[in-house]
Amino acid sequence: MNRLLSVTATLVAMMLLCAYPAKAQKAPKREFRGAWIQCVNEQFQGLSKEEMQRTLSYQLDELAKDGVNAIIFQVRAECDALYDSPYEPWSRFLTGRQGQNPGWDPLAWMVSECHKRGMEIHAWINPYRAKTKGTSALASNNIAVKHPERVFEYDGLYILNPALPENREYICKIADDIVRRYDIDGFHIDDYFYPYPIAGKAIPDAKEYNADSRGMSIGDWRRDNVNKFIEQLHDSIRQTKPWVKFGVSPFGIYRNARSSSIGSNTRGLQNYDDLYADVLKWVNNGWIDYCVPQLYWQIGHKTADYETLIKWWNEHAGNRPLYIGEDVERTIKYADVDNPNTNQVAAKHKLHEQCKNVDGTVLWYAKAAVDNYDRYGVFLRNYYWKSPALQPLMPFIDDKAPKKPRKLKAHQNSTNLLLTWMAPKGKGWKDEAVKYVVYQFKPGESVDISDPSHIVSLTNHQSLETVKPAESGKYIYVVTALDRMSNESEIAKKKVKVKH
C-alpha cells in the first residue's frame, strides 16, 4: 500500500512538472492578480449570514494561498444591492427574493476581510441591467418599477436606456454612494452596455434617436451615449475619491479585421459594432484606469484565437494598465497546440510574459481556482504566483511615494520573531501609508527589494509575527510603506541576529 502511494505521488509530481515551463522566469514584482467573485451563479442564494461568511472566508483564504492580490466582488447585478443601499433593493441573489433584508452588509464585510489578507477589493456592478432573465418579481423600489419609462425590454431583460441622461445620472449616483461609503480600492463594471444582439430583434430606442440624433448614424449615436456615461462615471469617481481605480472588463473582441483596418484577425461579436462600446477611446482618453478584456477562449479557437487577441490588446490598449480576463476551466480543458500531452496553462503564461503591456490577470471565475480545478490552484501557488506581488503603478493618478516606516524594531523568543514599526508621517491621501511590505534577506545576501522572492508579507498592520528562520545567523529585515496607489517608500532596515 505504501509503495502504491509512493508511485502515485511520483506520477502526480511528474504531471505537474509537465505543466510548468522548462525554465522558470523571474516573477514580476508588480502584477495585478485578480479573481471575479460573482453572485449571479446563485452560489450565495439562500445562505444564512454565517454560511455565506464561512463560504467567502474559505474562498478568500484559498485565493490568498494562490497568490491572488485583488478581489472583484459583484455587488449590483440588476439594479439591486449586495450592500446596504439607500436607493436600491437588496439582491435576490442573497435571500431568493429581491428586497428582502439579509440582516448584514456583505460588501462592508468583504472590504474588511480582503484588507485583512492584504488584498485589494473592487466593487463590481452591472450598470444598465435592471432585471435578469431568471428574476420573476422585482421589488417596489427597483428603478424599473419606479420609472418604467426609463427602461426597455430586450430578450427577457430590462435595460436602463443608455440614451437617457437621467439614467447616466442615476448610475453615477449609485456609484458615488458606494465609493463614498465603502473603503474600496477599485470600482469595476463588466461587459454589458447595449444588450448582446439577438437575430431579428431590434433595440427599441428609435424614439430617442429620432428625437435627438445629434446628426449621427444610429451606431455612432449609441456609442456616443455610452461614451458620455463612461466619461461621466470616471469623473464622478475621481471627484469623490481620487484614489479609487475605475476599471472595465469588456468583451474580448474590439473589432474584427473585416470591419476595421486595426481589427483583430477574428470573426466574433464586436464591442464597437455590436455592443456600442468604443473601449479604445476610453483607454486612450484616460476615462478608465485599467482594462480587463475577457479573453475566455483557448489558443487555437477558430473564430477568436486567444494568442491573436492577447497580442492585439497588447499592441492597441497599452495606454492604461492592461489585465487579461482568463477562463480557468477552458485553460485547463484544452490541450497545448504545440504539446497535446498538457493543458494551456504554461502556453498562456508564456504569452503574458511576451506581451510587455500586459500587467496582470483576472481569473474567471474565482470558485474554479478555489476548487483547484484540475490542479489550477496548485499551478498558481507553487509556481506562477508563488512570490507575492505589488499592484501595478498608476502614475497618472499619483506617483509620489510615502515616507518610510519609523522605529523598526525586532523581538525574538525561542520560536518566533516579532517586527514592529510606526507609520510614516504624512498629510492627505497621497502621503498616507495603507499597507507595508516586509522583506527578509539571509546572511550574506545583498538587499535587493526588486526581487519579490524576498517578500515575507504584505500587511496593513504595523507589526508582523513570523516563525524564526531555521538557521542561525545575521539576517536583514526591510519594511517599506505603500500608499493607496502602491507607490513604495524608501526602506527601513533592521539587522537581526537569529539565535537557536
Side-chain angles (χ1 to χ4, degrees):
M1 183 66 176
N2 288 338
R3 176 179 174 79
L4 178 61
L5 289 174
S6 176
V7 171
T8 302
T10 301
L11 289 173
V12 170
M14 292 174 63
M15 291 170 66
L16 291 177
L17 286 172
C18 288
Y20 298 152
K23 184 178 180 180
Q25 298 292 319
K26 184 178 179 181
K29 180 177 175 178
R30 293 184 179 273
E31 187 175 31
F32 190 89
R33 299 172 178 174
W36 280 294
I37 295 183
Q38 81 275 41
C39 66
V40 292
N41 64 349
E42 301 185 353
Q43 63 173 318
F44 308 125
Q45 188 167 296
L47 297 184
S48 67
K49 170 185 174 180
E50 292 74 21
E51 289 170 333
M52 184 170 170
Q53 288 183 354
R54 189 160 54 247
T55 298
L56 284 168
S57 290
Y58 175 73
Q59 291 186 5
L60 293 178
D61 286 343
E62 292 302 300
L63 292 168
K65 293 174 187 175
D66 290 342
V68 169
N69 61 17
I71 298 297
I72 302 177
F73 182 54
Q74 189 173 27
V75 300
R76 181 182 183 266
E78 48 179 0
C79 293
D80 58 358
L82 273 79
Y83 63 98
D84 190 8
S85 171
Y87 305 111
E88 297 191 308
W90 284 103
S91 176
R92 77 171 178 89
F93 296 110
L94 288 173
T95 63
R97 182 167 66 85
Q98 191 175 95
Q100 182 174 331
N101 191 330
W104 67 296
D105 188 327
L107 177 56
W109 185 86
M110 281 290 284
V111 168
S112 174
E113 292 298 310
C114 287
H115 288 169
K116 185 190 301 181
R117 293 167 173 82
M119 296 172 164
E120 287 196 347
I121 179 166
H122 295 220
W124 160 25
I125 75 163
N126 181 289
Y128 292 113
R129 187 172 59 203
K131 187 184 84 68
T132 62
K133 289 183 181 182
T135 300
S136 57
L138 299 177
S140 60
N141 61 331
N142 186 292
I143 189 69
V145 176
K146 294 170 65 176
H147 291 284
E149 74 282 0
R150 288 163 51 180
V151 174
F152 62 71
E153 186 274 336
Y154 191 90
D155 189 36
L157 307 173
Y158 287 171
I159 306 293
L160 291 177
N161 192 336
L164 302 179
E166 54 266 41
N167 282 338
R168 295 197 293 271
E169 294 288 343
Y170 177 74
I171 300 167
C172 288
K173 179 177 74 171
I174 298 301
D176 178 75
D177 175 61
I178 295 172
V179 171
R180 181 172 45 82
R181 291 195 296 121
Y182 294 90
D183 188 22
I184 58 174
D185 304 286
F187 191 86
H188 186 90
I189 63 174
D190 51 24
D191 55 320
Y192 296 97
F193 301 102
Y194 277 87
Y196 277 66
I198 301 297
K201 186 172 179 61
I203 296 173
D205 60 356
K207 176 183 175 183
E208 289 78 17
Y209 174 68
N210 292 331
D212 181 26
S213 69
R214 302 189 287 278
M216 302 176 180
S217 69
I218 194 164
D220 286 341
W221 176 80
R222 287 171 178 163
R223 278 183 288 275
D224 189 55
N225 292 333
V226 179
N227 289 342
K228 289 178 184 294
F229 163 66
I230 294 293
E231 183 179 17
Q232 183 175 344
L233 181 55
H234 166 270
D235 292 349
S236 174
I237 293 169
R238 193 66 83 242
Q239 183 176 1
T240 303
K241 284 183 181 175
W243 60 85
V244 172
K245 308 165 186 178
F246 174 38
V248 178
S249 57
F251 183 73
I253 299 173
Y254 175 68
R255 300 191 83 183
N256 299 310
R258 64 184 180 185
S259 301
S260 169
S261 60
I262 67 163
S264 54
N265 186 22
T266 50
R267 299 191 305 276
L269 187 85
Q270 304 167 102
N271 273 295
Y272 185 93
D273 304 83
D274 302 314
L275 303 177
Y276 306 100
D278 191 353
V279 183
L280 288 192
K281 184 167 187 167
W282 311 342
V283 168
N284 291 326
N285 285 0
W287 293 344
I288 60 178
D289 300 321
Y290 67 88
C291 182
V292 193
Q294 299 174 18
L295 305 191
Y296 292 165
W297 304 280
Q298 68 273 21
I299 300 170
H301 191 283
K302 292 182 179 179
T303 60
D305 173 51
Y306 178 96
E307 181 173 358
T308 296
L309 285 166
I310 191 173
K311 290 179 177 179
W312 187 93
W313 285 98
N314 177 68
E315 179 182 354
H316 293 280
N319 200 39
R320 282 291 184 264
L322 173 65
Y323 317 140
I324 300 301
E326 199 85 37
D327 186 291
V328 172
E329 293 186 1
R330 286 197 187 190
T331 300
I332 292 291
K333 177 181 177 181
Y334 289 94
D336 185 338
V337 294
D338 296 322
N339 183 8
N341 293 323
T342 189
N343 57 50
Q344 295 193 354
V345 173
K348 285 188 174 182
H349 189 79
K350 184 177 180 181
L351 286 170
H352 279 244
E353 292 176 338
Q354 294 171 347
C355 294
K356 300 307 179 185
N357 287 324
V358 173
D359 296 314
T361 307
V362 183
L363 304 177
W364 178 259
Y365 47 98
K367 192 174 185 299
V370 169
D371 291 345
N372 196 26
Y373 183 76
D374 204 11
R375 307 183 310 282
Y376 191 91
V378 171
F379 297 155
L380 294 180
R381 70 180 63 181
N382 289 347
Y383 190 80
Y384 297 111
W385 291 354
K386 183 177 181 179
S387 298
L390 279 61
Q391 296 295 336
L393 293 170
M394 293 188 177
F396 49 87
I397 297 179
D398 172 41
D399 62 357
K400 180 184 176 184
K403 294 180 180 179
K404 66 181 181 181
R406 299 176 294 133
K407 299 183 179 180
L408 174 59
K409 297 180 180 180
H411 314 271
Q412 57 180 307
N413 56 29
S414 58
T415 56
N416 291 344
L417 176 71
L418 175 65
L419 298 171
T420 62
W421 58 90
M422 293 181 64
K425 293 181 179 179
K427 295 181 180 180
W429 68 270
K430 290 187 177 183
D431 295 327
E432 180 187 10
V434 297
K435 199 179 296 183
Y436 300 91
V437 191
V438 181
Y439 303 83
Q440 180 201 72
F441 298 90
K442 297 177 182 178
E445 288 182 327
S446 60
V447 173
D448 177 14
I449 66 169
S450 69
D451 184 352
S453 67
H454 291 286
I455 298 176
V456 177
S457 178
L458 288 167
T459 178
N460 60 353
H461 300 293
Q462 293 172 27
S463 64
L464 177 71
E465 186 172 13
T466 183
V467 177
K468 284 170 56 173
E471 298 180 6
S472 299
K474 294 180 180 180
Y475 289 76
I476 296 176
Y477 286 87
V478 165
V479 179
T480 60
L482 301 177
D483 64 14
R484 289 185 177 272
M485 302 315 301
S486 288
N487 295 302
E488 188 172 19
S489 75
E490 294 183 355
I491 67 172
K493 184 170 64 173
K494 184 72 176 179
K495 294 181 180 179
V496 180
K497 187 174 183 179
V498 173
K499 298 179 180 181
H500 284 284

